[in-house]
Amino acid sequence: MFDKVFISYAREDVQFAKEIYKHLEVNNFRPWMDKEKLLVGQQWEPQIMNELRTADFIIILLSKTSVSKRGFVQREFKYALKYAEEKLTSDIFILPIKLDDCEVPPELGIFNWVHLGDFEARGKIIEALNAQRTKMMASVPGELIKLNDYSEHTVHLDGEINRLFSYEIKYPIFRGTTAVNTDMLNVAIRHYIHEQISDLYQTLFEETEGYQTGSVRNYKYTFEISYTIGLVNESYASIMFYEYTDYLAAHPNHYWTSINVAFNPNIIIRNLIISNNNDLKKLIENYKFDFGNKDDGEEIIEKEIIENNIKNFNRYSDPGNFYPKDFEYLLIDDEKILINFSNHLPHAFKALGQFEFKYKMQNDKIEIVG
């Protein structure tokens, strides 16, 4: 809901349009551009005009070509301005994006624009879309909201505390419906985000004197968080966060954190209860990874990693020895589950710690079925 973005561009700028299209897709918006969406045989003009009319947002790519070119692109500009008249003056609807040092047409000059070449341009575009989407979602009655109609939020921090740092996190916030209260889910997400920010500052403040001098001090600490949303329905919500850290080590670090919540009653699911542990052990033991052609050495390494995972699973699946964060999991949908041991593996083998299986949910317990 409120996620449809029409991209208006000149044919000569199609590569920039495709870049924006992909950026919107990975940030959970539904972009529309003719080169990606028009089907063979469709009448292109009425289809484009319909998509323009029904868009929640219109991105206009401005270049020396588009602002001086006669034809359909000028028509799109004019209709975008016409539809903008139906919006509140405080609404974000038209987003002009400059591709070069062209002059912004006077009629579009009333809207704040961004230059795609600016370092923070893409982040600012998503920030503006999410701000308006959140505003519009707040005005919709609960009975019309779907649980997966979430809004994305971004926290970006740049600065220097003993050393330079750059921190960017993305996280979703869910709007409740008449049937489901999402407050606990959102609190769990925000608590996780605040913990990450707090840990960042603590790490920076505790830097040793050796890190505060010379070239090391000028090395930027980078921390990024993104997420994957799995199953979201009136019974459960499942989210997996991915954390990337580059902190002057031999290699960047990768970490995963899952948040799983049951609704009605609202409960944070800290322990994954698997009813058939022995079956799962066998499935993990025989799990096949596809990395193309492998020599004998690689097969030996893979076998050792799998055996290590089995040991971890045996330890963590014992109810008397279970710790909530020893492994992570994501309910991908109502049939598939991702079990993730990667946090316990060396950097080079983290891809071997993720297992996808089919499952059934019975009395709040997971039964792995293959």
Side-chain angles (χ1 to χ4, degrees):
M1 185 176 288
F2 306 125
D3 56 359
K4 184 177 177 181
V5 186
F6 184 94
I7 303 174
S8 176
Y9 66 98
R11 289 289 177 268
E12 293 80 356
D13 302 323
V14 64
Q15 289 305 121
F16 293 105
K18 288 183 176 182
E19 179 186 335
I20 295 293
Y21 183 96
K22 292 176 181 178
H23 182 63
L24 294 171
E25 271 194 327
V26 299
N27 283 279
N28 305 299
F29 284 89
R30 292 187 298 131
W32 197 96
M33 61 178 288
D34 54 358
K35 287 293 184 182
E36 294 290 336
K37 291 294 189 178
L38 277 179
L39 302 177
V40 174
Q42 277 189 314
Q43 295 187 40
W44 61 269
E45 183 172 346
Q47 188 66 30
I48 290 176
M49 296 309 298
N50 178 66
E51 297 295 336
L52 185 63
R53 181 70 183 90
T54 58
D56 299 307
F57 305 94
I58 298 175
I59 284 179
I60 297 180
L61 301 187
L62 300 173
S63 67
K64 292 179 179 178
T65 300
S66 67
V67 299
S68 60
K69 184 178 181 179
R70 294 181 176 85
F72 202 81
V73 67
Q74 296 297 329
R75 188 175 177 187
E76 290 179 357
F77 290 1
K78 290 180 173 63
Y79 272 93
L81 290 165
K82 176 183 176 181
Y83 299 145
E85 294 175 357
E86 302 171 6
K87 310 297 181 181
L88 298 175
T89 55
S90 59
D91 284 343
I92 296 172
F93 177 61
I94 293 177
L95 290 80
I97 302 176
K98 289 181 63 173
L99 305 180
D100 53 33
D101 59 352
C102 66
E103 292 291 331
V104 177
E107 59 270 26
L108 292 174
I110 61 174
F111 305 105
N112 191 29
W113 53 266
V114 67
H115 196 294
L116 192 60
D118 293 345
F119 177 73
E120 297 180 345
R122 291 159 183 78
K124 288 180 177 179
I125 293 167
I126 300 303
E127 180 183 18
L129 294 173
N130 276 319
Q132 179 63 24
R133 186 170 188 263
T134 301
K135 175 183 173 182
M136 292 191 291
M137 289 279 286
S139 65
V140 177
E143 62 269 18
L144 298 180
I145 295 289
K146 297 179 182 179
L147 277 175
N148 58 0
D149 282 334
Y150 60 91
S151 58
E152 182 179 276
H153 298 253
T154 301
V155 177
H156 186 86
L157 302 173
D158 271 310
E160 182 176 355
I161 301 176
N162 291 331
R163 72 153 70 187
L164 298 172
F165 68 88
S166 177
Y167 183 97
E168 180 172 280
I169 61 176
K170 295 181 179 181
Y171 64 96
I173 291 296
F174 294 83
R175 175 87 184 274
T177 70
T178 54
V180 176
N181 185 322
T182 57
D183 287 351
M184 180 174 288
L185 172 61
N186 291 331
V187 166
I189 292 171
R190 288 192 172 103
H191 177 71
Y192 160 74
I193 296 303
H194 292 160
E195 275 191 329
Q196 302 307 311
I197 295 175
S198 177
D199 289 347
L200 166 70
Y201 283 134
Q202 182 174 351
T203 299
L204 292 169
F205 277 119
E206 290 178 352
E207 289 277 66
T208 62
E209 182 177 349
Y211 280 97
Q212 298 176 27
T213 60
S215 60
V216 174
R217 182 176 182 273
N218 295 323
Y219 188 90
K220 182 177 288 188
Y221 176 89
T222 302
F223 192 40
E224 299 174 358
I225 298 178
S226 56
Y227 62 90
T228 299
I229 294 178
L231 178 69
V232 179
N233 60 24
E234 293 188 357
S235 299
Y236 300 96
S238 187
I239 305 166
M240 183 85 76
F241 288 92
Y242 164 67
E243 302 151 23
Y244 168 90
T245 309
D246 188 358
Y247 195 34
L248 197 60
H251 52 71
N253 290 316
H254 311 269
Y255 199 83
W256 288 261
T257 299
S258 56
I259 294 178
N260 293 275
V261 172
F263 299 124
N264 299 322
N266 289 358
I267 301 171
I268 297 176
I269 307 173
R270 300 192 184 281
N271 296 2
L272 175 61
I273 302 175
I274 298 175
S275 61
N276 56 336
N277 287 341
N278 290 332
D279 292 341
L280 180 58
K281 175 185 175 182
K282 294 176 182 177
L283 288 169
I284 292 178
E285 200 166 23
N286 296 314
Y287 200 86
K288 300 298 182 184
F289 295 92
D290 183 11
F291 291 103
N293 297 324
K294 296 177 291 187
D295 57 33
D296 292 339
E298 289 174 321
E299 290 182 357
I300 292 173
I301 292 174
E302 177 183 310
K303 187 174 185 297
E304 291 177 350
I305 296 300
I306 292 176
E307 289 176 351
N308 183 58
N309 282 340
I310 294 298
K311 292 177 183 178
N312 283 339
F313 180 77
N314 288 338
R315 172 188 171 192
Y316 304 139
S317 61
D318 179 358
N321 200 22
F322 189 95
Y323 298 92
K325 288 303 176 187
D326 280 330
F327 67 85
E328 308 297 325
Y329 72 95
L330 176 74
L331 300 178
I332 299 172
D333 52 34
D334 55 6
E335 294 183 346
K336 291 179 291 185
I337 183 173
L338 179 73
I339 296 177
N340 189 326
F341 289 96
S342 297
N343 294 340
H344 303 280
L345 299 179
H347 173 77
F349 304 123
K350 286 187 178 292
L352 291 172
Q354 301 189 33
F355 303 87
E356 185 176 313
F357 300 111
K358 292 183 178 180
Y359 78 97
K360 291 191 298 186
M361 184 76 73
Q362 293 184 342
N363 300 321
D364 294 329
K365 294 183 179 180
I366 297 288
E367 178 184 354
I368 305 298
V369 296

